[in-house]
């Protein structure tokens, strides 16, 4: 009898990390893949990215509409409540043996909370990490406590999940999911990528993603203003922007990006590049700028430098290729100048990615096939010696 593995995905970046696992589950004779899409995947303003899942030949079993056209705290909270209603109905219909989720977004919290009540064991990927500048931190740890199997990206994160009371034998160290895509995805050639993007790379090129820092009220617009002011000073540089996530205060940042791109010929804004074009861009640009986790988890595997702005990723493991700076225009400008310095560029050739060398997807699917589901729901708290 095959095991039904239900995967919930709510964003382009999350699906990019889950893609290889989902394809491997679908190809397994012992596992049956169920796909539930939600959140930004279903929103026109974020590119209706559920189509990328369909293009990969994966069936979508349920669509849970939950994202309100509001980025206020009240709006996000209402979206979470709509999500719990929708996931409750979806799980009752699909009746999966395991729910598999990744990360720390509010959509995933709603799905896991509904699964807890429905007595569905939860498999959580990328737990144990810290991001002190965002409420994702608390959501991630909450999901850990509602989950039953854990697949983590680094030894430090494995210890942290155990420290939270999870049984060590239920915590698997597999490495980062993003590294898998880099190792196995056939990336685009430069000419094909330029044709797809609609512009040619220049003498210098930067890939930029900046998300709201959700624990800092009212800071989104100011921090984006500082970033854009620093970028406006750059010469002979093509700026490739991807849109921020659907978080609190994200819409004002999107409006600022649209205005900046309209006023600067060297600025190119994309609602969603998709995983293939995003990683293909990463191999050709000079560096990554912003506060996206991809600058920490994926960029080192390309031996590219990252300017990590502000506190959103504070607490995460970082390679030597990451330059931290304050969300202020002078500090950002200085960090970009350091990124281009000959000494920093020469150092990048020896950078090691702290999130491993790949293989996470295969390890996860092997465990999903073999792990015992008996008495998995009843957890006992593991006390440290």
């Amino acid at each position: 009898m095959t095991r039904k593995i239900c995967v919930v995905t709510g964003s382009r970046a999350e699906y990019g990390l889950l893609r290889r696992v989902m394809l491997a589950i679908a190809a397994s004779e012992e596992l049956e893949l169920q796909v539930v899409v939600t959140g930004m995947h279903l929103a026109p303003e974020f590119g209706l990215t559920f189509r990328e899942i369909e293009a990969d030949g994966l069936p979508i079993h349920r669509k849970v509409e939950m994202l309100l056209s509001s980025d206020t705290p009240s709006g996000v909270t209402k979206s979470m409540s709509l999500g719990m209603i929708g996931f409750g109905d979806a799980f009752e219909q699909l009746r999966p043996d395991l729910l598999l989720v990744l990360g720390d977004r509010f959509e995933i919290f709603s799905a896991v909370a509904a699964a807890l009540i429905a007595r569905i064991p939860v498999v959580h990927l990328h737990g144990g990490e810290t991001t002190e500048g965002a409420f994702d931190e608390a959501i991630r740890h909450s999901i850990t406590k509602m989950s039953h199997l854990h697949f983590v990206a680094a030894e430090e994160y494995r210890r942290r999940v155990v420290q939270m009371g999870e049984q060590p034998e239920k915590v698997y160290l597999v490495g980062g999911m993003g590294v898998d895509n880099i190792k196995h995805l056939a990336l685009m050639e430069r000419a094909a990528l330029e044709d797809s993007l609609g512009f040619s790379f220049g003498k210098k090129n930067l890939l930029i993603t900046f998300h709201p820092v959700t624990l800092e009220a009212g800071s989104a617009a100011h921090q984006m203003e500082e970033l854009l002011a620093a970028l406006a000073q750059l010469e002979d540089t093509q700026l490739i922007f991807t849109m921020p996530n659907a978080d609190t205060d994200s819409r004002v940042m999107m409006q600022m990006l649209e205005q900046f791109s309209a006023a600067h010929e060297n600025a190119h804004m994309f609602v969603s590049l998709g995983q293939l074009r995003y990683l293909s861009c990463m191999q050709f640009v000079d560096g990554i700028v912003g506060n996206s986790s991809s600058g920490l988890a994926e960029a080192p595997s390309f031996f590219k430098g990252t300017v990590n702005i502000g506190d959103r990723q504070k607490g995460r493991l970082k390679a030597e290729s990451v330059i931290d700076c304050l969300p202020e225009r002078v500090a950002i400008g200085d960090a970009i100048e350091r990124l281009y310095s000959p000494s920093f560029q020469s150092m990048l050739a020896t950078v090691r990615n702290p999130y491993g060398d790949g293989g996470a997807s295969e390890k996860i699917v092997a465990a999903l096939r073999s792990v015992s589901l008996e008495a998995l729901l009843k957890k006992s708290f593991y006390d440290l010696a």
Side-chain angles (χ1 to χ4, degrees), residues 88-108:
D89 291 340
F91 296 153
E92 184 175 12
Q93 295 162 356
L94 295 174
R95 299 188 179 277
D97 296 303
L98 291 169
L99 173 68
L100 188 148
V101 298
L102 182 146
D104 46 35
R105 286 192 54 78
F106 62 83
E107 300 96 333
I108 302 306

Side-chain angles (χ1 to χ4, degrees), residues 29-48:
E29 294 181 356
E30 301 155 86
L31 304 174
E32 176 187 338
L33 177 68
Q34 298 175 331
V35 180
V36 177
V37 298
T38 189
M40 288 186 285
H41 280 311
L42 304 176
E45 61 197 292
F46 292 101
L48 294 172

Side-chain angles (χ1 to χ4, degrees), residues 192-206:
L193 178 61
E194 289 177 333
D195 184 61
S196 175
L197 296 175
F199 73 92
S200 297
F201 288 105
K203 182 179 179 180
K204 296 179 179 179
N205 307 277
L206 294 173

Side-chain angles (χ1 to χ4, degrees), residues 88-335:
D89 291 340
F91 296 153
E92 184 175 12
Q93 295 162 356
L94 295 174
R95 299 188 179 277
D97 296 303
L98 291 169
L99 173 68
L100 188 148
V101 298
L102 182 146
D104 46 35
R105 286 192 54 78
F106 62 83
E107 300 96 333
I108 302 306
F109 179 92
S110 295
V112 173
L116 178 72
I117 304 303
R119 297 188 291 274
I120 300 169
V122 177
V123 180
H124 186 209
L125 313 185
H126 274 270
E129 303 177 17
T130 57
T131 48
E132 298 175 14
F135 56 50
D136 300 1
E137 164 96 353
I139 290 176
R140 186 186 308 107
H141 297 331
S142 298
I143 292 173
T144 290
K145 293 310 301 176
M146 291 188 286
S147 298
H148 306 82
L149 296 172
H150 312 270
F151 294 91
V152 299
E155 171 60 23
E156 179 178 318
Y157 301 150
R158 187 198 69 81
R159 291 197 303 267
R160 190 171 289 131
V161 171
V162 173
Q163 181 181 337
M164 293 170 65
E166 299 303 295
Q167 296 292 331
E169 66 272 16
K170 300 292 175 61
V171 186
Y172 299 78
L173 173 57
V174 296
M177 305 294 295
V179 182
D180 271 12
N181 288 328
I182 296 168
K183 297 292 183 181
H184 298 285
L185 201 60
L187 299 179
M188 301 173 71
E189 298 289 340
R190 182 175 179 131
L193 178 61
E194 289 177 333
D195 184 61
S196 175
L197 296 175
F199 73 92
S200 297
F201 288 105
K203 182 179 179 180
K204 296 179 179 179
N205 307 277
L206 294 173
L207 182 58
I208 305 143
T209 307
F210 195 71
H211 301 297
V213 185
T214 50
L215 286 181
E216 298 177 8
S219 67
H222 174 70
Q223 292 191 11
M224 179 61 83
E225 181 181 8
E226 294 294 296
L227 169 59
L228 296 179
L231 296 174
Q233 301 301 313
L234 301 179
E235 298 179 355
D236 300 320
T237 306
Q238 296 295 316
L239 306 174
I240 307 166
F241 290 96
T242 62
M243 282 289 199
N245 285 335
D247 288 320
T248 311
D249 298 331
S250 63
R251 281 171 173 77
V252 65
M253 300 174 73
M254 294 165 66
Q255 293 169 359
M256 295 174 72
L257 280 178
E258 290 170 352
Q259 294 168 2
F260 184 87
S261 298
H264 295 80
E265 292 185 357
N266 65 323
H268 314 277
M269 187 188 70
F270 298 89
V271 173
S272 175
L273 285 171
Q275 193 74 0
L276 177 59
R277 290 197 302 175
Y278 185 81
L279 291 177
S280 298
C281 273
M282 198 174 282
Q283 69 177 333
F284 294 119
V285 299
D286 304 309
I288 317 302
V289 176
N291 60 6
S292 169
S293 61
S294 62
L296 280 61
E298 280 93 69
S301 292
F302 287 105
F303 304 102
K304 301 291 184 178
T306 297
V307 173
N308 179 55
I309 301 169
D311 288 343
R312 184 179 175 91
Q313 301 299 336
K314 185 177 180 181
R316 272 208 167 113
L317 292 176
K318 298 171 187 173
E320 293 181 4
S321 55
V322 178
I323 302 169
D324 291 321
C325 71
L326 294 172
E328 300 169 0
R329 65 187 69 187
V330 174
I332 296 169
D334 290 344

Side-chain angles (χ1 to χ4, degrees), residues 42-92:
L42 304 176
E45 61 197 292
F46 292 101
L48 294 172
T49 49
F50 73 87
R51 294 169 178 166
E52 297 175 17
I53 302 174
E54 293 178 333
D56 284 333
L58 294 173
I60 294 176
H61 295 79
R62 293 292 183 277
K63 294 177 181 177
V64 175
E65 293 276 9
M66 62 175 286
L67 195 62
L68 297 180
S69 184
S70 169
D71 60 356
T72 66
S74 175
V76 172
T77 304
K78 291 173 183 175
S79 292
M80 293 176 71
S81 65
L82 288 174
M84 290 188 69
I85 295 170
F87 290 121
D89 291 340
F91 296 153
E92 184 175 12

